[in-house]
Amino acid sequence: MTKNIYLNLLIFTTILLVGFYFTSELNNVWVSHFSHLVIMILAGLTLVAFDKGKLPDKEKPEFKINQIIGIIIGIIGLISVCNLIPVLATKMADIDITKHPIIIGLNQMVPILISISIFEEILFRRVLAQKIKNTLGITKGIWISAFVFAIAHIYSDTGILPSFIAGVVFAYIYFKTNSIYLSVVAHLFYNITTYYLLTVFRDRDKLELIYDYPTIALSISFGIILIVGMTKILNKKAGR
């Protein structure tokens, strides 16, 4: 059973990497996006097919208000960490981050961000992470699914490290709440905020307010503290 899961992961990841490579070469935003979704569907079907067409078994969600508070805290921390890491990297490499391309306006981008949030959460959390958890346990379910999630973003502008951190946080939210809906909403809020921040980072006057090492380091540290706080809140609620 353990050998099968690793073989499934290899096939799944290979399909994503090969498919995403070709979609990254497409120039039209919408064609690229729909092709991206099709690749995810095909990759997901390979995992489901191994289970005779059934989604991996999961526990029933139990809504708690503290879960929402914890998730909000964690996503704010995630936004801070994952958006400031690239800023730090560009500053260290002496790259002009204000020249980062914005594909289309935020209003036009919203449908893409909504669909990608839904598809990625279903694929990487409800199917992939859940399947790994059912076979190897929750810890490996979080870390391995986050690793695959990061590798799948190798051809995107998101970056592997921020994608890995985001994958860990989203998987943690999903497993501790057993709700794919909460992880989708968290993912969508993160995506929209991150895309909006691209416009902020293109404004040199606004960027200069945070574009120094102490401010960046403090913001990343604060974000990490918020993420840890989220884990404490969700763990406390999960233990009751």
Side-chain angles (χ1 to χ4, degrees):
M1 185 69 173
T2 302
K3 290 182 179 179
N4 289 340
I5 187 66
Y6 287 115
L7 176 60
N8 294 353
L9 286 174
L10 178 61
I11 296 173
F12 174 81
T13 306
T14 300
I15 291 174
L16 289 181
L17 288 178
V18 173
F20 288 171
Y21 169 76
F22 287 105
T23 60
S24 67
E25 296 295 311
L26 298 174
N27 295 322
N28 185 282
V29 174
W30 296 100
V31 172
S32 176
H33 173 63
F34 284 115
S35 300
H36 195 87
L37 297 182
V38 170
I39 295 301
M40 286 196 287
I41 292 173
L42 293 176
L45 287 175
T46 62
L47 289 181
V48 174
F50 290 121
D51 289 330
K52 299 179 181 180
K54 298 181 180 178
L55 290 174
D57 295 331
K58 66 179 289 292
E59 298 176 7
K60 292 182 179 179
E62 185 179 356
F63 180 82
K64 306 286 185 180
I65 190 64
N66 277 17
Q67 292 176 342
I68 305 300
I69 297 173
I71 290 170
I72 291 173
I73 290 173
I75 295 304
I76 292 174
L78 182 65
I79 290 169
S80 179
V81 171
C82 291
N83 284 282
L84 270 297
I85 286 177
V87 171
L88 176 62
T90 57
K91 184 171 179 61
M92 294 176 65
D94 196 25
I95 297 173
D96 188 358
I97 195 173
T98 61
K99 294 183 179 180
H100 191 290
I102 295 179
I103 303 173
I104 55 178
L106 181 59
N107 290 339
Q108 294 175 293
M109 193 67 181
V110 167
I112 292 178
L113 296 177
I114 291 175
S115 58
I116 205 70
S117 300
I118 294 173
F119 273 67
E120 285 189 346
E121 285 308 303
I122 293 175
L123 178 64
F124 289 100
R125 258 58 73 177
R126 179 62 184 92
V127 177
L128 177 64
Q130 187 71 56
K131 186 177 181 68
I132 298 172
K133 176 194 174 185
N134 293 352
T135 306
L136 304 175
I138 187 172
T139 301
K140 290 184 178 179
I142 292 173
W143 294 104
I144 294 177
S145 66
F147 176 75
V148 176
F149 184 67
I151 294 299
H153 284 76
I154 194 171
Y155 300 116
S156 73
D157 295 327
T158 307
I160 291 180
L161 180 56
S163 296
F164 177 75
I165 297 172
V168 170
V169 171
F170 294 141
Y172 199 89
I173 290 172
Y174 170 67
F175 283 140
K176 291 302 178 178
T177 65
N178 292 312
S179 173
I180 191 63
Y181 302 107
L182 290 179
S183 63
V184 166
V185 172
H187 194 155
L188 177 60
F189 180 73
Y190 168 80
N191 280 349
I192 291 178
T193 304
T194 296
Y195 199 80
Y196 168 76
L197 287 176
L198 285 179
T199 62
V200 175
F201 293 154
R202 280 175 61 91
D203 188 325
R204 186 173 295 277
D205 292 334
K206 293 179 180 178
L207 183 62
E208 288 298 330
L209 297 175
I210 63 168
Y211 209 52
D212 60 84
Y213 287 117
T215 303
I216 295 173
L218 184 62
S219 298
I220 292 176
S221 300
F222 179 67
I224 292 173
I225 291 173
L226 291 181
I227 292 173
V228 172
M230 179 199 75
T231 66
K232 298 296 184 182
I233 293 174
L234 295 186
N235 267 331
K236 181 179 180 181
K237 184 54 62 175
R240 290 185 179 181

